[in-house]
């Protein structure tokens, strides 16, 4: 029998004295996103994103379980009809509001009732608008919204605090939050509900971006933030409903004025 090489006492001492579990500040234990992408082939488990792609693949059996086009239409129409019915019954109360044509936020939101693609996208996501310390949920195909919840005076700053630095200035202009409805998408998309939810968000964000540009506003789209904290701000549980993006828009004239003020301050 071959005996392994015996370790020198000094070597054993060094092993015992070193830190056996390095701190998380060691780069190898806490790689950033870029390094993780570069070295991803070294991983035996893969990332959660890769796992989702694999686990949400449709099989032939999965495709047979999906609703028929007529069933999917019925599911969507039920959501649209009940949303509109609730809105129309609430008009004249404090629970519903009709957007005024001269409101800037109404002009920004107008694709929700003028663009059929956006109205369809609002099946997969709820579009919340911040107005006077209140969040209002836009109704598909209607120039109005239903009351969602009150927020504190620090809501805008709280949104900024849970984003990577430097966070945009949300204290002026319009602030919208897209809250994905995973539970609704499950009825029509099955195991690809999250994928369908993100596609809906993309359709809505694309139209909002075009509308902001047409209104001479600068759009800002943010999808990187502390998800748990952001969900708590809007009372979303992170599963059935979860914030997928924040959309902000500020008039370009206001941005130019702010830039001029900064330049004047620098000269002083």
């Amino acid at each position: 029998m071959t005996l392994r090489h015996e370790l020198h006492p000094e070597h054993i001492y060094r092993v015992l004295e070193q830190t056996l579990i390095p701190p998380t500040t060691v780069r190898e234990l806490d790689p950033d996103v870029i390094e993780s992408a570069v070295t991803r082939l070294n991983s035996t488990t893969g990332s959660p994103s890769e796992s989702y792609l694999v686990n949400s693949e449709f099989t032939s059996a999965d495709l047979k379980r999906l609703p028929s086009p007529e069933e999917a239409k019925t599911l969507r129409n039920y959501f649209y009809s009940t949303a509109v019915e609730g809105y129309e019954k609430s008009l004249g109360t404090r629970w519903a509001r009709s957007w005024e044509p001269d409101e800037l936020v109404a002009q920004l939101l107008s694709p929700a009732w003028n663009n059929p693609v956006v109205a369809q996208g609002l099946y997969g996501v709820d579009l919340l608008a911040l107005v006077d310390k209140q969040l209002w949920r836009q109704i598909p195909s209607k120039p109005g919204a239903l009351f969602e919840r009150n927020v504190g005076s620090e809501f805008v700053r709280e949104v900024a605090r849970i984003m990577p630095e430097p966070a945009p200035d949300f204290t002026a202009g319009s602030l919208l939050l897209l809250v994905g409805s995973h539970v609704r998408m499950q009825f029509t998309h099955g195991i690809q509900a999250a994928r369908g939810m993100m596609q809906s968000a993309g359709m809505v964000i694309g139209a909002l971006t075009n509308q902001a540009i047409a209104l001479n506003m600068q759009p800002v789209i943010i999808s990187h933030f502390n998800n748990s904290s952001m969900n708590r701000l809007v009372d979303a549980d992170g599963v059935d409903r979860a914030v997928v993006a924040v959309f902000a828009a500020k008039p370009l004239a206001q941005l130019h004025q702010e830039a001029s003020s900064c330049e004047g301050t620098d000269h002083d």
Side-chain angles (χ1 to χ4, degrees), residues 35-214:
E35 184 175 353
S36 295
V38 171
T39 61
R40 68 184 185 85
L41 295 181
N42 293 333
S43 173
T44 59
T45 58
S47 69
S49 179
E50 291 171 327
S51 297
Y52 167 73
L53 290 175
V54 173
N55 294 330
S56 65
E57 288 182 347
F58 277 145
T59 64
S60 297
D62 291 324
L63 293 173
K64 293 177 182 179
R65 298 188 186 102
L66 292 174
S68 67
E70 192 61 33
E71 289 173 326
K73 182 179 179 181
T74 300
L75 289 165
R76 289 176 175 272
N77 286 344
Y78 176 81
F79 162 70
Y80 296 132
S81 61
T82 53
V84 170
E85 181 182 2
Y87 166 71
E88 291 179 341
K89 286 184 176 180
S90 300
L91 285 173
T93 72
R94 65 190 182 96
W95 305 111
R97 66 181 298 158
S98 296
W99 300 117
E100 298 296 333
D102 58 345
E103 288 182 284
L104 187 57
V105 67
Q107 297 172 26
L108 181 62
L109 289 169
S110 62
W113 57 89
N114 290 328
N115 188 331
V117 173
V118 177
Q120 289 294 314
L122 291 179
Y123 174 79
V125 294
D126 292 329
L127 182 56
L128 307 184
L130 177 64
V131 181
D132 299 330
K133 299 180 185 178
Q134 293 178 328
L135 289 175
W136 292 85
R137 177 166 47 86
Q138 176 61 45
I139 301 301
S141 304
K142 291 291 181 180
L146 283 172
F147 175 78
E148 182 79 7
R149 69 187 301 265
N150 290 314
V151 297
S153 58
E154 294 294 309
F155 179 81
V156 171
R157 291 183 176 84
E158 288 174 352
V159 169
R161 275 197 292 267
I162 56 183
M163 292 181 175
E165 296 290 346
D169 180 12
F170 297 124
T171 56
S174 299
L175 180 63
L176 311 175
L177 294 95
L178 283 85
V179 182
S181 178
H182 186 267
V183 66
R184 282 202 300 263
M185 294 304 292
Q186 275 192 303
F187 280 103
T188 55
H189 286 64
I191 61 174
Q192 290 193 358
R195 191 177 302 187
M197 187 174 69
M198 296 305 178
Q199 289 172 344
S200 296
M203 291 189 294
V204 174
I205 289 173
L208 290 175
T209 301
N210 289 335
Q211 182 67 6
I213 293 172

